[in-house]
Amino acid sequence: MVEPANNQEAFKRLYEKYSTRVLAYCVRRIGPDLAHDALAETFLVAWRRFDDLPGGEDNLPYLYGVASKVLSNSRRSSLRRSRLASRLQSLGVDHTADASTYVIQSDQNRRVLAAIAQLGKKDQEILMLYTWEEVSREKIAEMMGMTKPAVDQRIHRCYKRLARTFGNADVEPTSLPRVAKKGGEA
Amino acid sequence: MNHDVVERMVKAANPVPDHTVFEAPAVDFLLADDERRTEVETIQKDKAGPEPSRKSWGRLVPIASAIAAVVVVVIGLMAITSSDDVAGGDPIAEAESLVAAWGSYDLSVLNSIPDEADVSNEDWHNVDRTTLEDEMLYRQAVDWPFEVTECSQSIVSTGEGDPPVRCTVSHDPSWTRAQGLGPYPAEATVRFADGEVVEFRVSLDTSFAEEFFFPLRTWLSLEYPDEMTTLYPVSRTYTLIDAEARELWAEVTAAYIAQLDG
């Protein structure tokens, strides 16, 4: 089974354009150790369903949706669940695997992440898509099969809950993350 | 605390605020080009080279990629035989015998490879007796035989030695056999020079990886996440076949087939 060469080239372009974004998406949710596996699985699905890709700028939300399903499938494994729990715990912590690649998180950011982890899974996903992946609310609604007002409401509810949590947790709203690139200083 | 502040805090806590810090694996690991093959491996008997490390060779596996859609295992053995069993014989029959032995894990095929065979370099384009033995034992562990269908000899020699003998081969590993997916086609090429084997290649068809290796890898990543580094190298491109990996491959293969049956 050999796919047409033009499909291969188009797929390569797709991968080159979006792979790091999808990888970041995965790292944000399961940490770096398993993210590469998820990235590979995501693009494997994309390759198999290449003809179904929406095209243009819609490809990235589509890939996020695939990655979400890949991660969701991963969570079905009990082994994976326990690993995920630890990943979520460590999400905001320097990771020993390649700490230089990731944000050097402050204690405050860890508390913010811990608060996010207390939200419902769907709320977490919507919040992360909006704030971290910078997907528009309209697109999130499309991705999640919801109406935009429903997404607005979810985000509003997330902020409200987080504000309540932050208000009780002595979190300063002024911190900025420090980003360290490979081989560079934080 | 208003929502703008909360939003800013959430953004600030983004574990990966800049995706460009990542260097994604080269696309070729997912999608090799039209060759989509796992390279050519060559042993040159008289070529000097460093002794390959056991660990290194354990990672150099002529087994289908978990990612690539085409898997071609090519094993080139240059001037490796000094035995009489091919000299003067019918090249087609000898080639068939060689491929059949390899396909049925008959380790005596290794006798045709001299101990002193050197490896030209340390990347995985090369294979030595140890690797070939590991590869055969790996297939034996996961019950992955190859059977020769037919052999014929080209009338044109395109390289060193006699015209190559090409054998159509089929294979149906236990994983796909349990699902009724196989068998899959493959092709083996054997070339002789002066009655000795100078080349032995086996190429697998792409559909095999598409239908099985990818789903298997996904299943393994879910069920055996802690064992993935034993089963696959960091590149995830090939399977590992050293002794530890083989033992685990046998175990996970049994588990995989059991859940299919269940």
mmCIF file with all atom_site columns, all heavy atoms in Angstrom, chain B residues 22 37 44-45 72 80 83 114 121 127 136 178 188 194 197 203 227 251 253 261:
data_model
loop_
_atom_site.group_PDB
_atom_site.id
_atom_site.type_symbol
_atom_site.label_atom_id
_atom_site.label_alt_id
_atom_site.label_comp_id
_atom_site.label_asym_id
_atom_site.label_entity_id
_atom_site.label_seq_id
_atom_site.pdbx_PDB_ins_code
_atom_site.Cartn_x
_atom_site.Cartn_y
_atom_site.Cartn_z
_atom_site.occupancy
_atom_site.B_iso_or_equiv
_atom_site.pdbx_formal_charge
_atom_site.auth_seq_id
_atom_site.auth_comp_id
_atom_site.auth_asym_id
_atom_site.auth_atom_id
_atom_site.pdbx_PDB_model_num
ATOM 1   N N   . PHE B 1 22  ? 10.435  23.059  21.497 1.00 0.00 ? 22  PHE B N   1
ATOM 2   C CA  . PHE B 1 22  ? 10.527  21.646  21.156 1.00 0.00 ? 22  PHE B CA  1
ATOM 3   C C   . PHE B 1 22  ? 11.156  21.447  19.792 1.00 0.00 ? 22  PHE B C   1
ATOM 4   O O   . PHE B 1 22  ? 10.991  22.264  18.885 1.00 0.00 ? 22  PHE B O   1
ATOM 5   C CB  . PHE B 1 22  ? 9.139   20.998  21.132 1.00 0.00 ? 22  PHE B CB  1
ATOM 6   C CG  . PHE B 1 22  ? 8.516   20.889  22.481 1.00 0.00 ? 22  PHE B CG  1
ATOM 7   C CD1 . PHE B 1 22  ? 7.332   21.536  22.757 1.00 0.00 ? 22  PHE B CD1 1
ATOM 8   C CD2 . PHE B 1 22  ? 9.120   20.158  23.479 1.00 0.00 ? 22  PHE B CD2 1
ATOM 9   C CE1 . PHE B 1 22  ? 6.758   21.454  24.005 1.00 0.00 ? 22  PHE B CE1 1
ATOM 10  C CE2 . PHE B 1 22  ? 8.548   20.071  24.730 1.00 0.00 ? 22  PHE B CE2 1
ATOM 11  C CZ  . PHE B 1 22  ? 7.370   20.718  24.995 1.00 0.00 ? 22  PHE B CZ  1
ATOM 12  N N   . ARG B 1 37  ? 11.592  2.514   4.009  1.00 0.00 ? 37  ARG B N   1
ATOM 13  C CA  . ARG B 1 37  ? 12.199  1.237   4.322  1.00 0.00 ? 37  ARG B CA  1
ATOM 14  C C   . ARG B 1 37  ? 13.258  1.434   5.384  1.00 0.00 ? 37  ARG B C   1
ATOM 15  O O   . ARG B 1 37  ? 13.734  2.531   5.604  1.00 0.00 ? 37  ARG B O   1
ATOM 16  C CB  . ARG B 1 37  ? 12.791  0.616   3.071  1.00 0.00 ? 37  ARG B CB  1
ATOM 17  C CG  . ARG B 1 37  ? 13.799  1.490   2.364  1.00 0.00 ? 37  ARG B CG  1
ATOM 18  C CD  . ARG B 1 37  ? 14.189  0.899   1.042  1.00 0.00 ? 37  ARG B CD  1
ATOM 19  N NE  . ARG B 1 37  ? 13.029  0.661   0.201  1.00 0.00 ? 37  ARG B NE  1
ATOM 20  C CZ  . ARG B 1 37  ? 13.116  0.101   -1.003 1.00 0.00 ? 37  ARG B CZ  1
ATOM 21  N NH1 . ARG B 1 37  ? 14.252  -0.280  -1.482 1.00 0.00 ? 37  ARG B NH1 1
ATOM 22  N NH2 . ARG B 1 37  ? 12.031  -0.064  -1.738 1.00 0.00 ? 37  ARG B NH2 1
ATOM 23  N N   . GLN B 1 44  ? 30.780  -6.492  5.295  1.00 0.00 ? 44  GLN B N   1
ATOM 24  C CA  . GLN B 1 44  ? 31.862  -6.718  4.362  1.00 0.00 ? 44  GLN B CA  1
ATOM 25  C C   . GLN B 1 44  ? 32.947  -7.480  5.090  1.00 0.00 ? 44  GLN B C   1
ATOM 26  O O   . GLN B 1 44  ? 33.518  -7.021  6.055  1.00 0.00 ? 44  GLN B O   1
ATOM 27  C CB  . GLN B 1 44  ? 32.378  -5.387  3.814  1.00 0.00 ? 44  GLN B CB  1
ATOM 28  C CG  . GLN B 1 44  ? 31.328  -4.758  2.894  1.00 0.00 ? 44  GLN B CG  1
ATOM 29  C CD  . GLN B 1 44  ? 31.828  -3.539  2.203  1.00 0.00 ? 44  GLN B CD  1
ATOM 30  O OE1 . GLN B 1 44  ? 32.520  -2.748  2.806  1.00 0.00 ? 44  GLN B OE1 1
ATOM 31  N NE2 . GLN B 1 44  ? 31.497  -3.393  0.945  1.00 0.00 ? 44  GLN B NE2 1
ATOM 32  N N   . LYS B 1 45  ? 33.198  -8.609  4.588  1.00 0.00 ? 45  LYS B N   1
ATOM 33  C CA  . LYS B 1 45  ? 34.061  -9.566  5.263  1.00 0.00 ? 45  LYS B CA  1
ATOM 34  C C   . LYS B 1 45  ? 35.435  -8.995  5.537  1.00 0.00 ? 45  LYS B C   1
ATOM 35  O O   . LYS B 1 45  ? 35.982  -9.143  6.623  1.00 0.00 ? 45  LYS B O   1
ATOM 36  C CB  . LYS B 1 45  ? 34.186  -10.801 4.385  1.00 0.00 ? 45  LYS B CB  1
ATOM 37  C CG  . LYS B 1 45  ? 35.085  -11.890 4.926  1.00 0.00 ? 45  LYS B CG  1
ATOM 38  C CD  . LYS B 1 45  ? 35.097  -13.034 3.947  1.00 0.00 ? 45  LYS B CD  1
ATOM 39  C CE  . LYS B 1 45  ? 36.013  -14.147 4.411  1.00 0.00 ? 45  LYS B CE  1
ATOM 40  N NZ  . LYS B 1 45  ? 36.014  -15.232 3.447  1.00 0.00 ? 45  LYS B NZ  1
ATOM 41  N N   . VAL B 1 72  ? 10.875  -2.337  5.139  1.00 0.00 ? 72  VAL B N   1
ATOM 42  C CA  . VAL B 1 72  ? 11.711  -3.186  4.330  1.00 0.00 ? 72  VAL B CA  1
ATOM 43  C C   . VAL B 1 72  ? 12.937  -3.550  5.133  1.00 0.00 ? 72  VAL B C   1
ATOM 44  O O   . VAL B 1 72  ? 13.610  -2.682  5.650  1.00 0.00 ? 72  VAL B O   1
ATOM 45  C CB  . VAL B 1 72  ? 12.143  -2.475  3.035  1.00 0.00 ? 72  VAL B CB  1
ATOM 46  C CG1 . VAL B 1 72  ? 13.063  -3.379  2.231  1.00 0.00 ? 72  VAL B CG1 1
ATOM 47  C CG2 . VAL B 1 72  ? 10.919  -2.103  2.224  1.00 0.00 ? 72  VAL B CG2 1
ATOM 48  N N   . ILE B 1 80  ? 30.319  -13.463 2.502  1.00 0.00 ? 80  ILE B N   1
ATOM 49  C CA  . ILE B 1 80  ? 30.297  -13.967 3.866  1.00 0.00 ? 80  ILE B CA  1
ATOM 50  C C   . ILE B 1 80  ? 30.485  -15.467 3.956  1.00 0.00 ? 80  ILE B C   1
ATOM 51  O O   . ILE B 1 80  ? 30.734  -15.982 5.029  1.00 0.00 ? 80  ILE B O   1
ATOM 52  C CB  . ILE B 1 80  ? 28.958  -13.613 4.535  1.00 0.00 ? 80  ILE B CB  1
ATOM 53  C CG1 . ILE B 1 80  ? 27.801  -14.174 3.721  1.00 0.00 ? 80  ILE B CG1 1
ATOM 54  C CG2 . ILE B 1 80  ? 28.833  -12.136 4.736  1.00 0.00 ? 80  ILE B CG2 1
ATOM 55  C CD1 . ILE B 1 80  ? 26.464  -14.008 4.394  1.00 0.00 ? 80  ILE B CD1 1
ATOM 56  N N   . SER B 1 83  ? 31.527  -21.705 2.932  1.00 0.00 ? 83  SER B N   1
ATOM 57  C CA  . SER B 1 83  ? 31.088  -23.090 3.005  1.00 0.00 ? 83  SER B CA  1
ATOM 58  C C   . SER B 1 83  ? 30.870  -23.665 1.627  1.00 0.00 ? 83  SER B C   1
ATOM 59  O O   . SER B 1 83  ? 30.711  -22.965 0.645  1.00 0.00 ? 83  SER B O   1
ATOM 60  C CB  . SER B 1 83  ? 29.807  -23.170 3.817  1.00 0.00 ? 83  SER B CB  1
ATOM 61  O OG  . SER B 1 83  ? 28.793  -22.439 3.161  1.00 0.00 ? 83  SER B OG  1
ATOM 62  N N   . PRO B 1 114 ? 30.978  -15.879 8.591  1.00 0.00 ? 114 PRO B N   1
ATOM 63  C CA  . PRO B 1 114 ? 32.201  -16.135 9.356  1.00 0.00 ? 114 PRO B CA  1
ATOM 64  C C   . PRO B 1 114 ? 32.308  -15.229 10.577 1.00 0.00 ? 114 PRO B C   1
ATOM 65  O O   . PRO B 1 114 ? 31.842  -14.093 10.577 1.00 0.00 ? 114 PRO B O   1
ATOM 66  C CB  . PRO B 1 114 ? 33.319  -15.828 8.345  1.00 0.00 ? 114 PRO B CB  1
ATOM 67  C CG  . PRO B 1 114 ? 32.695  -14.887 7.372  1.00 0.00 ? 114 PRO B CG  1
ATOM 68  C CD  . PRO B 1 114 ? 31.257  -15.273 7.282  1.00 0.00 ? 114 PRO B CD  1
ATOM 69  N N   . ASN B 1 121 ? 30.333  0.022   9.725  1.00 0.00 ? 121 ASN B N   1
ATOM 70  C CA  . ASN B 1 121 ? 30.198  1.158   10.617 1.00 0.00 ? 121 ASN B CA  1
ATOM 71  C C   . ASN B 1 121 ? 29.187  0.800   11.699 1.00 0.00 ? 121 ASN B C   1
ATOM 72  O O   . ASN B 1 121 ? 28.638  -0.292  11.709 1.00 0.00 ? 121 ASN B O   1
ATOM 73  C CB  . ASN B 1 121 ? 29.776  2.427   9.859  1.00 0.00 ? 121 ASN B CB  1
ATOM 74  C CG  . ASN B 1 121 ? 28.440  2.245   9.161  1.00 0.00 ? 121 ASN B CG  1
ATOM 75  O OD1 . ASN B 1 121 ? 27.465  1.874   9.790  1.00 0.00 ? 121 ASN B OD1 1
ATOM 76  N ND2 . ASN B 1 121 ? 28.411  2.483   7.860  1.00 0.00 ? 121 ASN B ND2 1
ATOM 77  N N   . VAL B 1 127 ? 24.612  -5.265  9.743  1.00 0.00 ? 127 VAL B N   1
ATOM 78  C CA  . VAL B 1 127 ? 24.177  -6.342  10.594 1.00 0.00 ? 127 VAL B CA  1
ATOM 79  C C   . VAL B 1 127 ? 25.326  -7.333  10.706 1.00 0.00 ? 127 VAL B C   1
ATOM 80  O O   . VAL B 1 127 ? 26.136  -7.451  9.798  1.00 0.00 ? 127 VAL B O   1
ATOM 81  C CB  . VAL B 1 127 ? 22.912  -7.013  10.022 1.00 0.00 ? 127 VAL B CB  1
ATOM 82  C CG1 . VAL B 1 127 ? 23.222  -7.679  8.701  1.00 0.00 ? 127 VAL B CG1 1
ATOM 83  C CG2 . VAL B 1 127 ? 22.328  -8.000  11.000 1.00 0.00 ? 127 VAL B CG2 1
ATOM 84  N N   . MET B 1 136 ? 16.436  -13.398 14.334 1.00 0.00 ? 136 MET B N   1
ATOM 85  C CA  . MET B 1 136 ? 15.751  -14.677 14.141 1.00 0.00 ? 136 MET B CA  1
ATOM 86  C C   . MET B 1 136 ? 15.112  -15.153 15.448 1.00 0.00 ? 136 MET B C   1
ATOM 87  O O   . MET B 1 136 ? 13.988  -15.661 15.453 1.00 0.00 ? 136 MET B O   1
ATOM 88  C CB  . MET B 1 136 ? 16.738  -15.713 13.597 1.00 0.00 ? 136 MET B CB  1
ATOM 89  C CG  . MET B 1 136 ? 17.218  -15.377 12.184 1.00 0.00 ? 136 MET B CG  1
ATOM 90  S SD  . MET B 1 136 ? 18.625  -16.384 11.646 1.00 0.00 ? 136 MET B SD  1
ATOM 91  C CE  . MET B 1 136 ? 17.843  -17.974 11.432 1.00 0.00 ? 136 MET B CE  1
ATOM 92  N N   . ALA B 1 178 ? -3.706  -14.236 14.303 1.00 0.00 ? 178 ALA B N   1
ATOM 93  C CA  . ALA B 1 178 ? -4.807  -14.325 15.266 1.00 0.00 ? 178 ALA B CA  1
ATOM 94  C C   . ALA B 1 178 ? -6.006  -13.492 14.831 1.00 0.00 ? 178 ALA B C   1
ATOM 95  O O   . ALA B 1 178 ? -7.117  -13.697 15.300 1.00 0.00 ? 178 ALA B O   1
ATOM 96  C CB  . ALA B 1 178 ? -4.337  -13.862 16.647 1.00 0.00 ? 178 ALA B CB  1
ATOM 97  N N   . ALA B 1 188 ? 12.622  -11.759 -1.058 1.00 0.00 ? 188 ALA B N   1
ATOM 98  C CA  . ALA B 1 188 ? 14.002  -11.979 -0.629 1.00 0.00 ? 188 ALA B CA  1
ATOM 99  C C   . ALA B 1 188 ? 14.902  -11.991 -1.860 1.00 0.00 ? 188 ALA B C   1
ATOM 100 O O   . ALA B 1 188 ? 14.518  -12.501 -2.914 1.00 0.00 ? 188 ALA B O   1
ATOM 101 C CB  . ALA B 1 188 ? 14.124  -13.301 0.116  1.00 0.00 ? 188 ALA B CB  1
ATOM 102 N N   . ASP B 1 194 ? 31.010  -16.369 -7.147 1.00 0.00 ? 194 ASP B N   1
ATOM 103 C CA  . ASP B 1 194 ? 31.939  -17.496 -7.004 1.00 0.00 ? 194 ASP B CA  1
ATOM 104 C C   . ASP B 1 194 ? 31.388  -18.557 -6.062 1.00 0.00 ? 194 ASP B C   1
ATOM 105 O O   . ASP B 1 194 ? 32.126  -19.130 -5.253 1.00 0.00 ? 194 ASP B O   1
ATOM 106 C CB  . ASP B 1 194 ? 33.312  -17.001 -6.506 1.00 0.00 ? 194 ASP B CB  1
ATOM 107 C CG  . ASP B 1 194 ? 33.937  -16.019 -7.476 1.00 0.00 ? 194 ASP B CG  1
ATOM 108 O OD1 . ASP B 1 194 ? 33.721  -16.186 -8.703 1.00 0.00 ? 194 ASP B OD1 1
ATOM 109 O OD2 . ASP B 1 194 ? 34.610  -15.080 -7.029 1.00 0.00 ? 194 ASP B OD2 1
ATOM 110 N N   . VAL B 1 197 ? 27.582  -16.655 -1.028 1.00 0.00 ? 197 VAL B N   1
ATOM 111 C CA  . VAL B 1 197 ? 26.565  -15.614 -0.869 1.00 0.00 ? 197 VAL B CA  1
ATOM 112 C C   . VAL B 1 197 ? 27.248  -14.266 -0.650 1.00 0.00 ? 197 VAL B C   1
ATOM 113 O O   . VAL B 1 197 ? 28.120  -14.130 0.198  1.00 0.00 ? 197 VAL B O   1
ATOM 114 C CB  . VAL B 1 197 ? 25.657  -15.921 0.342  1.00 0.00 ? 197 VAL B CB  1
ATOM 115 C CG1 . VAL B 1 197 ? 24.690  -14.761 0.581  1.00 0.00 ? 197 VAL B CG1 1
ATOM 116 C CG2 . VAL B 1 197 ? 24.902  -17.218 0.120  1.00 0.00 ? 197 VAL B CG2 1
ATOM 117 N N   . SER B 1 203 ? 12.630  -7.865  1.897  1.00 0.00 ? 203 SER B N   1
ATOM 118 C CA  . SER B 1 203 ? 11.849  -6.627  1.923  1.00 0.00 ? 203 SER B CA  1
ATOM 119 C C   . SER B 1 203 ? 10.403  -6.953  2.248  1.00 0.00 ? 203 SER B C   1
ATOM 120 O O   . SER B 1 203 ? 9.800   -7.835  1.639  1.00 0.00 ? 203 SER B O   1
ATOM 121 C CB  . SER B 1 203 ? 11.906  -5.924  0.560  1.00 0.00 ? 203 SER B CB  1
ATOM 122 O OG  . SER B 1 203 ? 13.243  -5.654  0.215  1.00 0.00 ? 203 SER B OG  1
ATOM 123 N N   . GLU B 1 227 ? 6.948   -0.444  29.866 1.00 0.00 ? 227 GLU B N   1
ATOM 124 C CA  . GLU B 1 227 ? 7.846   -1.377  29.185 1.00 0.00 ? 227 GLU B CA  1
ATOM 125 C C   . GLU B 1 227 ? 8.231   -0.906  27.792 1.00 0.00 ? 227 GLU B C   1
ATOM 126 O O   . GLU B 1 227 ? 8.983   -1.595  27.099 1.00 0.00 ? 227 GLU B O   1
ATOM 127 C CB  . GLU B 1 227 ? 7.164   -2.752  29.060 1.00 0.00 ? 227 GLU B CB  1
ATOM 128 C CG  . GLU B 1 227 ? 6.544   -3.278  30.340 1.00 0.00 ? 227 GLU B CG  1
ATOM 129 C CD  . GLU B 1 227 ? 7.575   -3.595  31.395 1.00 0.00 ? 227 GLU B CD  1
ATOM 130 O OE1 . GLU B 1 227 ? 8.777   -3.522  31.090 1.00 0.00 ? 227 GLU B OE1 1
ATOM 131 O OE2 . GLU B 1 227 ? 7.187   -3.901  32.538 1.00 0.00 ? 227 GLU B OE2 1
ATOM 132 N N   . GLU B 1 251 ? 6.137   -12.216 25.995 1.00 0.00 ? 251 GLU B N   1
ATOM 133 C CA  . GLU B 1 251 ? 5.097   -12.027 27.001 1.00 0.00 ? 251 GLU B CA  1
ATOM 134 C C   . GLU B 1 251 ? 3.963   -11.144 26.473 1.00 0.00 ? 251 GLU B C   1
ATOM 135 O O   . GLU B 1 251 ? 2.780   -11.489 26.590 1.00 0.00 ? 251 GLU B O   1
ATOM 136 C CB  . GLU B 1 251 ? 5.710   -11.395 28.252 1.00 0.00 ? 251 GLU B CB  1
ATOM 137 C CG  . GLU B 1 251 ? 4.715   -11.125 29.357 1.00 0.00 ? 251 GLU B CG  1
ATOM 138 C CD  . GLU B 1 251 ? 5.370   -10.379 30.524 1.00 0.00 ? 251 GLU B CD  1
ATOM 139 O OE1 . GLU B 1 251 ? 6.598   -10.525 30.700 1.00 0.00 ? 251 GLU B OE1 1
ATOM 140 O OE2 . GLU B 1 251 ? 4.660   -9.647  31.217 1.00 0.00 ? 251 GLU B OE2 1
ATOM 141 N N   . THR B 1 253 ? 3.252   -10.434 23.429 1.00 0.00 ? 253 THR B N   1
ATOM 142 C CA  . THR B 1 253 ? 2.593   -11.062 22.285 1.00 0.00 ? 253 THR B CA  1
ATOM 143 C C   . THR B 1 253 ? 1.508   -12.025 22.771 1.00 0.00 ? 253 THR B C   1
ATOM 144 O O   . THR B 1 253 ? 0.383   -12.031 22.257 1.00 0.00 ? 253 THR B O   1
ATOM 145 C CB  . THR B 1 253 ? 3.618   -11.816 21.421 1.00 0.00 ? 253 THR B CB  1
ATOM 146 O OG1 . THR B 1 253 ? 4.507   -10.866 20.829 1.00 0.00 ? 253 THR B OG1 1
ATOM 147 C CG2 . THR B 1 253 ? 2.929   -12.608 20.319 1.00 0.00 ? 253 THR B CG2 1
ATOM 148 N N   . ASP B 1 261 ? -8.439  -12.977 21.656 1.00 0.00 ? 261 ASP B N   1
ATOM 149 C CA  . ASP B 1 261 ? -9.301  -14.143 21.803 1.00 0.00 ? 261 ASP B CA  1
ATOM 150 C C   . ASP B 1 261 ? -10.427 -13.869 22.794 1.00 0.00 ? 261 ASP B C   1
ATOM 151 O O   . ASP B 1 261 ? -11.527 -14.399 22.665 1.00 0.00 ? 261 ASP B O   1
ATOM 152 C CB  . ASP B 1 261 ? -8.488  -15.359 22.281 1.00 0.00 ? 261 ASP B CB  1
ATOM 153 C CG  . ASP B 1 261 ? -7.515  -15.810 21.211 1.00 0.00 ? 261 ASP B CG  1
ATOM 154 O OD1 . ASP B 1 261 ? -7.742  -15.464 20.031 1.00 0.00 ? 261 ASP B OD1 1
ATOM 155 O OD2 . ASP B 1 261 ? -6.531  -16.486 21.546 1.00 0.00 ? 261 ASP B OD2 1
#
